[in-house]
Structures are given as structure tokens and as C-alpha cells.
Amino acid sequence: MINKKRKMARVFIALTPVKELNDKIIEIKKDLKIGILKDHSISWQNNNSHHITLNFIGSMEPEQIDEMFINLEKITTSKSQIALEINSISLFPNNNGQVLVANINPTPQLKKIHSKIEDIINTIGFETHLKKYHPHITLGRFKEKERAGFEIPELEEPIKSFVSNIDVYQSEFESGKTSYQLIKTFNY
């Protein structure tokens, strides 16, 4: 359990890619860095920080985190895997966006997990986001607002993988950089 003397934490729930998928994501970034994006100023996501956010909750009290852990334990007893498929690379949230992402196919299984997570968040008193769930992995953020046009190449084929865990992270913003600390892992 969380130490009650701890301060509020900025928390999010995510899926963390297995090593094989993370290696493929790193390769995609390398290809983009030396290819079509070599002349662009981009703050690339740390290679050890790739994740697919299920829900960014925000600031939580330790007691709320404890309650969330209890509820997450209840939905993570199936001992199965969550199928993932990267189907494209794009800008987020649209073609004028500043964030470069690997888009994840929103399968029925992934939507169901997202819905269960939202129910848990609602139960402990947090509102969920009304916008449509768009699963993705952040690859980097463009530093410049205005940039020359470019066309992101299509993937030769979808990248398929899986995850077995639902992870809870704490997010910290310090000196202009965001870092993530894994708080707890739940086997799905």
C-alpha cells in the first residue's frame, strides 16, 4: 500500500510494450530521424518510456491510489494477453498536430479494457474524458510550430504484439522534461 505521508501524485494507467515491440518502435524512430524528419527539431520520447495510455487521471491522494489498486486487482484476474497492432504513424491529434505517434488499432478487447478502467476512475470520484479513445504510442514532439510539409511513409505491414500487464505510473515534470515512474504492475 501507499505510504499515507506521501503527497499527491500525477497518475496514469497504461500498457507498456514488451521488449520486442519496444525494439520495433525504436527502429521506426531511427528510420524517421535519418529519413524524412532529419531536418526537423523534435524532442524524441525516451526509448524506455514508450507506453499506451489507458487513462491519464491526474493528481491523486494516496488513499485514492490505494482504492484504485484494489479495483484494478479485481479486473486483472483473467491471466490473458492484450493484443496490440500498430497500424500507422501520424501526427496527433490531427495533421497539424505537434505530436508524432504510432497509432494502435482500437480492437474490441482494448476498448473493453479502456471502458473498465474508466469505470474504476469514475468510482473513485474522477471524471473520464468524453472524447473518443485514440490509443497510440508517442514517438516525439515537434519543437517548431511552423514546419515544412512532409509525408509520413506507410508501414509495410502492421506491427503485431501483445502485453500482459496493466501498469500504473507516476508522471513528474521537472526542468522542462516529463519523466515516468512505474508505481505498480497488474498481470492481466
Side-chain angles (χ1 to χ4, degrees):
M1 293 291 178
I2 298 290
N3 180 345
K4 301 297 183 206
K5 293 182 181 180
R6 283 187 41 193
K7 62 180 181 171
M8 288 182 70
R10 294 184 69 220
V11 174
F12 66 94
I13 302 170
L15 304 173
T16 306
V18 295
K19 183 183 179 338
E20 294 78 18
L21 178 56
N22 199 56
D23 289 346
K24 290 177 184 177
I25 295 166
I26 293 168
E27 283 301 313
I28 289 171
K29 288 176 14 183
K30 283 181 186 175
D31 290 345
L32 292 169
K33 286 178 188 180
I34 63 172
I36 63 165
L37 299 178
K38 67 180 177 191
D39 296 326
H40 291 272
S41 180
I42 299 173
S43 177
W44 294 97
Q45 184 77 11
N46 181 306
N47 288 341
N48 296 321
S49 295
H50 297 133
H51 62 271
I52 303 149
T53 302
L54 291 167
N55 193 302
F56 184 88
I57 304 159
S59 296
M60 297 181 77
E61 296 286 349
E63 296 81 7
Q64 293 170 313
I65 295 172
D66 288 343
E67 184 177 347
M68 180 182 65
F69 287 169
I70 291 166
N71 290 320
L72 282 171
E73 194 71 49
K74 292 176 186 174
I75 69 163
T76 56
T77 58
S78 62
K79 306 289 187 247
S80 63
Q81 295 180 333
I82 303 165
L84 297 178
E85 180 180 285
I86 297 175
N87 53 21
S88 64
I89 307 299
S90 71
L91 296 173
F92 184 80
N94 55 44
N95 287 337
N96 295 321
Q98 296 297 110
V99 182
L100 184 67
V101 299
N103 295 299
I104 306 293
N105 182 16
T107 62
Q109 181 190 30
L110 195 54
K111 288 178 183 178
K112 184 177 178 181
I113 292 165
H114 176 259
S115 178
K116 287 180 178 182
I117 299 293
E118 286 205 330
D119 289 346
I120 289 170
I121 301 311
N122 285 330
T123 299
I124 57 176
F126 289 87
E127 291 185 28
T128 56
H129 307 290
L130 298 177
K131 57 190 171 190
K132 183 179 174 186
Y133 180 54
H134 181 83
H136 63 274
I137 298 170
T138 299
L139 304 176
R141 288 178 171 74
F142 285 87
K143 293 179 183 177
E144 69 264 3
K145 297 284 184 202
E146 302 293 324
R147 56 186 180 270
F150 58 88
E151 188 171 325
I152 299 172
E154 290 186 23
L155 297 174
E156 291 179 18
E157 61 184 44
I159 300 170
K160 297 181 181 188
S161 187
F162 66 90
V163 294
S164 301
N165 303 320
I166 294 177
D167 298 320
V168 180
Y169 287 91
Q170 180 175 334
S171 172
E172 294 181 5
F173 187 76
E174 194 174 303
S175 303
K177 288 280 190 184
T178 302
S179 63
Y180 311 115
Q181 177 185 353
L182 180 63
I183 299 173
K184 189 163 178 130
T185 294
F186 296 87
N187 292 328
Y188 189 73

